[in-house]
Amino acid sequence: MEVTTLNDIEIISASKTKINSVDFENLTFGNVFTDHMLICDFKDGSWQKPVIQPYAPFTIDPSAKVFHYGQAIFEGMKAYKDEEDAVWLFRPEENFHRFNKSATRMAMPEVPEAVFMGGLKKLLQLDQQWVKKGIGNTLYIRPFMIATGHGVIAAPSHEYRFMIILSPARSYYSGEVKVIIAEHFSRAANGGIGAAKAAGNYSAQFYPTKLANDKGFQQIIWTDDATHTKLEEAGTMNVFFRINDTLFTAPTSERILDGVTRKSVIELAQREKINIEVRPVLVEELIAAAKNGSLKEIFGAGTAAVINPIVGFSYQDTYFELPQLEHSMAIDLKEKLTNIQHKLAEDTFGWTVKV
């Protein structure tokens, strides 16, 4: 392996690439990873020199605090390749700032911009052949940080590891998505860590989601923890509701993640002169709209899926099918958003950043 140092990042190049063994037409989301990864350790109160090295397992102490007290956060981002083979990021500064907000909430050190953004760009330059052209082809980016300090005393770690791994991706969800509105389980509570991208938020969803899967549903629309009357998120995505020709979505809070795709959909809808209201949406409103025919669409918005239409929902064992529309806001907004991401349409917002 060739070892070089570039802009304070040590680069250890893989001796050969795995790319020729990958079937890019049949990818399972998040299951195949590129040739390299970035590692940067926090020790003795400061961040050490970042290293880009071949993707591989690493050893960790069994008493590392990530295992015992759950200090773990992550982000989800994507890279895109345009028709001229240039690689682009989509609003990466939003992910960087949110990552550090999550770090602060979890009593973890903030990652410097030079490590996060500088390391990401170097990593993408090294593995740019893994980014494929065309709508639907992306490179999923997973920055994350874990507590690596040893010892089982219940206190924050003094050592951490920040990493970035890359995974070629196509569609996150396939087939129809049906959801159950939560009546008992909650994704997050006021004063908790719902607004952070903490690993524990997602593991806590697995059991109620499994119960929904057992009933033939793919996801859950979460409701507020106190009354279960307010609609909040759909699975791992922010959620939008179209009643007549108005879009509704819940405001961000201590319970609701400030999604990058969510805010992009809001800004895009405003540009397209779509009436959109950011306010609490009640379960009873949704049921009434479904019964009187004014509920036209529900869709989730997130980095992995971008926009994912929901075809129906269940509440208190009653199932409501959504109408099949000739003109769908969800599909139209997704097309406009993905065209910007892939540089097939003018980026009037300045969202895209060239690597």
Side-chain angles (χ1 to χ4, degrees), residues 227-238:
T227 66
H228 293 290
T229 61
K230 298 175 184 176
L231 299 158
E232 299 201 322
E233 292 194 2
T236 59
M237 300 179 288
N238 296 113

Side-chain angles (χ1 to χ4, degrees), residues 62-112:
S63 71
K65 299 213 173 188
V66 64
F67 298 136
H68 303 276
Y69 302 110
Q71 275 187 294
I73 60 172
F74 68 93
E75 272 296 324
M77 309 166 65
K78 282 181 177 178
Y80 310 83
K81 183 170 281 186
D82 67 19
E83 292 304 308
E84 282 71 47
D85 288 325
V87 178
W88 298 81
L89 293 167
F90 182 73
R91 308 190 76 173
E93 72 287 346
E94 296 284 348
N95 297 96
F96 167 66
H97 291 307
R98 189 173 65 181
F99 188 88
N100 280 334
K101 286 181 181 179
S102 297
T104 298
R105 180 61 183 85
M106 298 298 290
M108 305 170 84
E110 292 189 7
V111 177

